Amino acid sequence: MPSVRVWQKKQLRLDLLNFRQSQMFKIGNVGVGAVKNRLSAALGPEDSPAKPLSKRYAIRKTKLGLGNRRNLSFTGDMLRNLAVRTVSENRAKAALSTRKDRIKAWANQKIQGWLVYSPKNKAAVVEATRRVFDAMKKRLLLETNLGGKQR
């Protein structure tokens, strides 16, 4: 199945997407937004509070005025860099683009899974998908003729 890279030379390209790919892009953005909101609220993969920071790192973050919560916002680069990168007709893939952020993400993933959908994130994506299908069904199903009866 063909896929389209959404980012081209640090520029978002939506004009290359067909109708289904643009819908998947919308659904993917809802998923990424839900994950970012969960992470900025310092919630873990099960919507419970994230694993506490080590004592030394908590003191360092507090001295810098960033609070002592695991919210991936020391500089904010990783959360800003997380975006939908590739879209096909049945898949939207979010990723980090820089090598430095991918290494940091891998290290953070070993501490506690963060780049996963929590139950509330899954519910948000299902709701966004339902809205997309509700908007689509007006165009897909106009009228059926079953045995002479119109429905």
Side-chain angles (χ1 to χ4, degrees), residues 50-97:
K51 186 177 177 181
L53 299 173
S54 67
K55 186 175 179 181
R56 176 180 277 170
Y57 188 59
I59 291 170
R60 183 174 169 210
K61 273 185 83 171
T62 303
K63 284 183 180 179
L64 293 172
L66 301 172
N68 61 353
R69 302 181 335 170
R70 185 177 301 281
N71 57 6
L72 298 178
S73 66
F74 191 75
T75 62
D77 289 341
M78 278 182 44
L79 290 181
R80 275 192 300 274
N81 197 337
L82 179 64
V84 176
R85 301 288 176 185
T86 307
V87 176
S88 69
E89 291 186 0
N90 61 359
R91 180 178 297 172
K93 182 180 176 184
L96 299 161
S97 63

Side-chain angles (χ1 to χ4, degrees), residues 91-107:
R91 180 178 297 172
K93 182 180 176 184
L96 299 161
S97 63
T98 65
R99 184 172 189 275
K100 178 182 173 184
D101 286 339
R102 285 194 302 267
I103 291 169
K104 285 170 51 178
W106 174 77

Side-chain angles (χ1 to χ4, degrees), residues 8-20:
Q8 180 179 353
K9 295 183 183 176
K10 297 186 180 189
Q11 183 179 17
L12 188 62
R13 295 292 307 262
L14 296 179
D15 58 336
L16 302 175
L17 302 179
N18 66 27
F19 185 67
R20 292 181 185 150

Side-chain angles (χ1 to χ4, degrees), residues 83-137:
V84 176
R85 301 288 176 185
T86 307
V87 176
S88 69
E89 291 186 0
N90 61 359
R91 180 178 297 172
K93 182 180 176 184
L96 299 161
S97 63
T98 65
R99 184 172 189 275
K100 178 182 173 184
D101 286 339
R102 285 194 302 267
I103 291 169
K104 285 170 51 178
W106 174 77
N108 284 332
Q109 190 75 18
K110 286 178 67 175
I111 295 170
Q112 181 180 26
W114 63 276
L115 195 53
V116 295
Y117 282 147
S118 70
K120 288 182 182 178
N121 297 150
K122 289 177 187 175
V125 171
V126 167
E127 176 60 26
T129 306
R130 187 192 60 75
R131 286 191 308 247
V132 167
F133 281 128
D134 283 347
M136 260 179 41
K137 73 180 177 184

